[in-house]
Amino acid sequence: MRLACTNGISIISGNAGSGKSTILGVITKIFLEKNYMIEQVALSGKAALRIKETTGLHAKTIHRMFLDNGGDCFNLDNPYLKVDEMNIASEVLIVDEASMIGGAVFFNLLKAVKKSDKIKHLIIVGDNAQLPAIGIGQPFNDLLNYSSLPKAKLTRVYRQASESGTLAAATMIRQNENFISSLDTFGDDFIYMNHGGNDLLIEFERYMEMNNNDIMEVQFLAQKRAECLQFNKIIQKRLGILPANHVENTKKAFEIYVGDKVILNKNSYENLTPEGDDGGKPVFNGNLGIVKKITKDYTVVDFQGIGEVGLEKEAVRNLLLGYCITVHKAQGSGFNSVIGFMSNSQSMLSSNMLYTAITRAKHHCTIAAPESVIEDCANRSAHECQTWLKNFYGGKE
């Protein structure tokens, strides 16, 4: 906390359960007592929602911050993006889930920070054991491991295995250890099964009952989109979603009905109100919601943390069923209960993949995978990107 409050730039990395959220809550209170304006951002909408839950302060996506401060939010993947019109007015900028951010977006974010005449503290927070960023580079990992910037690595997990089997399993996988032989010492919040099939549906129904049938708090995770499609159709049928008016989409192997849980696959900035008028709220890649109304011209979705938004046909094409999403899509998110299915896909198996899946669970987690898959994950870390940034900081050539 002293590191973040006394330095212009600071980096905080920590294991799941090591206290990052608690520390952020205290840091924001300290700055609020100094009457500092605080901006909190993350790459995905769900990750931004989690920061809001942690600190009680408003949070937004990086894209939305650019949009709100006069920047170009449509081309953040362009490293040559101009930020001349931007001026972030807050004194403190907190960037959470920074391991998700690729090189181009991170570069543009830093350019915007440099352009601001207000920012006094930039606090970069993440977990370097999660999946690598999608896109070029791995800026968070390189800054954490090779820069001379002020930084802190939180490694101590404050809950015992008997209290949280989920955290215990995650910690062992993070350390490249197989958790199967230690299951007897874990709390009952974590379940491992070496098969899937109908038992996964039984787990789903058990978790639904535990969460008062709130489908937004029960999430299936898989590695591949094809696996997600299969699970989504099964769960959609299991829930008996009524096909009142469905979204016509001949390019996809599924249909969306009123009552379906969906995920947006691409940012949508110009939307409609629930009544179909102009001026709807922007929504972003990764936002989850429930379909409330389908008309021939637009579809209304109640997005978690945002509210009801009217999506026109172009945006509707970017909706996917959201009962099961990929681990990559879930990064930065959190759900009360998670069911993760890990298949024997050698190219995608890694400790980072399994660790990220397990740590999406807030209270209960079930992992279904052959023992050989768990062993492969424990013995393999995701390939490190080959970057030049480490060389500028005196890292290995």
Side-chain angles (χ1 to χ4, degrees), residues 41-44 61-66 72-81 83 86 93 95-113 133-140 267 269:
V41 298
L43 186 63
S44 73
T61 65
I62 295 172
H63 290 77
R64 183 58 193 258
M65 183 188 72
F66 269 71
D72 181 359
C73 62
F74 299 97
N75 296 292
L76 283 182
D77 288 325
N78 177 9
Y80 301 103
L81 184 72
V83 297
M86 282 198 69
L93 178 61
V95 182
D96 200 13
E97 297 289 353
S99 62
M100 297 174 61
I101 306 173
V105 175
F106 210 107
F107 181 50
N108 287 321
L109 178 62
L110 293 180
K111 285 193 293 185
V113 170
I134 296 177
I136 60 173
Q138 49 179 26
F140 178 74
N267 294 341
Y269 299 96

Side-chain angles (χ1 to χ4, degrees), residues 92-144:
V92 179
L93 178 61
I94 298 173
V95 182
D96 200 13
E97 297 289 353
S99 62
M100 297 174 61
I101 306 173
V105 175
F106 210 107
F107 181 50
N108 287 321
L109 178 62
L110 293 180
K111 285 193 293 185
V113 170
K114 183 179 180 181
K115 178 71 170 52
S116 172
D117 58 2
K118 297 289 187 182
I119 293 180
K120 298 178 180 179
H121 298 275
L122 171 63
I123 303 169
I124 304 170
V125 184
D127 184 345
N128 63 316
Q130 291 190 29
L131 288 168
I134 296 177
I136 60 173
Q138 49 179 26
F140 178 74
N141 281 14
D142 285 348
L143 290 173
L144 178 68

